[in-house]
Amino acid sequence: MSEKKKIAIVLSGNGVYDGAEIHEATITMLAIAQQGASYELFAPNVEQAHVINHLTGEEMPEKRNVLIEAARIARGNIADLNTYQANQFDALVFPGGFGAAKNLSTFAFEGPDCSVNPDVEKAVKETVAAQKPIGALCISPAVITRILKDVEVTIGQDSGTAGAIEKMGGKHVNTTHGEVVHDSKYNVYTTPCYMLDASIDQIADGATNIIKAMLKAI
């Protein structure tokens, strides 16, 4: 029996407004398991950009750590992203949530002029160099674009975000629920998820489709 394919998942905290989108993260894990593969979870060991009260949407006067918060989704089984090695995995995937645009990068605050967390940039570049697939859901394709520049991605249909992607050197493709865009040059797969007005079953379609496409490429 062939060995299970192993996918690394990078989380950006815990909760849509200041971390990883919990539905996208959890359903990505489920999709990987349902396709007969396994996963390991990572997050950068850095302070969150800020903390949002998810009930009111207001900023809270406190500090939280991205890795510690992401450990909630991981049930404690998570590693510092600086320990990621592309040669130990078959693929790398980034669920969405504002944490991708706030903690993995500064895209939420600086748009196309944003910077990217060094551990995130290293993980992406190592995976590309190893010619292994990278998946990005929701807003996280913007982070991938900032790193790789001339990559074809989708965040759905939001013209403002699509315009920022084009300014960073990327090519944006409009998509709807469950659709996956593949960039053959970098072997990057993207799907819009909650960048569209989506229901949880539509998120499941997107996560399942992107994982199926990535596993076919391995």
Side-chain angles (χ1 to χ4, degrees):
M1 188 174 177
S2 62
E3 192 175 331
K4 273 189 177 185
K5 301 299 182 184
K6 187 163 65 171
I7 299 178
I9 303 174
V10 179
L11 300 181
S12 57
N14 177 33
V16 58
Y17 299 126
D18 58 12
E21 209 299 311
I22 295 170
H23 299 169
E24 291 175 5
T26 305
I27 295 172
T28 296
M29 289 185 268
L30 178 62
I32 291 168
Q34 287 179 331
Q35 297 307 311
S38 66
Y39 60 82
E40 289 186 23
L41 297 162
F42 294 87
N45 187 9
V46 295
E47 192 176 291
Q48 287 186 189
H50 58 198
V51 179
I52 299 295
N53 179 323
H54 279 58
L55 189 61
T56 65
E58 295 175 0
E59 191 170 344
M60 299 172 69
E62 60 180 82
K63 295 180 179 180
R64 297 189 188 183
N65 176 281
V66 174
L67 179 58
I68 292 171
E69 290 301 298
R72 293 173 178 267
I73 297 173
R75 294 172 61 87
N77 190 10
I78 193 167
D80 189 326
L81 183 57
N82 69 13
T83 67
Y84 169 81
Q85 294 180 285
N87 62 9
Q88 295 180 357
F89 295 89
D90 296 293
L92 177 67
V93 64
F94 293 83
F98 275 108
K102 293 178 176 180
N103 302 328
L104 303 187
S105 72
T106 60
F107 183 77
F109 310 113
E110 298 174 327
D113 298 320
C114 67
S115 60
V116 177
N117 173 278
D119 292 333
V120 173
E121 186 163 354
K122 180 173 174 284
V124 169
K125 287 183 173 178
E126 275 188 10
T127 308
V128 169
Q131 298 183 315
K132 295 178 178 181
I134 295 173
L137 290 69
C138 194
I139 190 62
S140 58
V143 182
I144 305 301
T145 304
R146 184 58 174 157
I147 298 166
L148 300 179
K149 309 294 193 289
D150 58 329
V151 60
E152 185 173 301
V153 300
T154 186
I155 48 79
Q157 300 167 17
D158 181 77
S159 59
T161 308
I165 283 169
E166 302 270 351
K167 283 183 180 176
M168 291 189 289
K171 179 184 178 184
H172 182 264
V173 180
N174 278 352
T175 53
T176 188
H177 303 288
E179 292 186 326
V180 177
V181 168
H182 177 227
D183 179 274
S184 57
K185 179 179 179 179
Y186 293 109
N187 206 12
V188 168
Y189 296 78
T190 54
T191 194
C193 288
Y194 277 122
M195 283 300 290
L196 298 170
D197 184 11
S199 57
I200 196 165
D201 57 316
Q202 290 167 328
I203 300 306
D205 289 341
T208 300
N209 291 347
I210 196 171
I211 295 301
K212 278 183 177 178
M214 290 171 69
L215 286 170
K216 281 181 184 175
I218 296 169

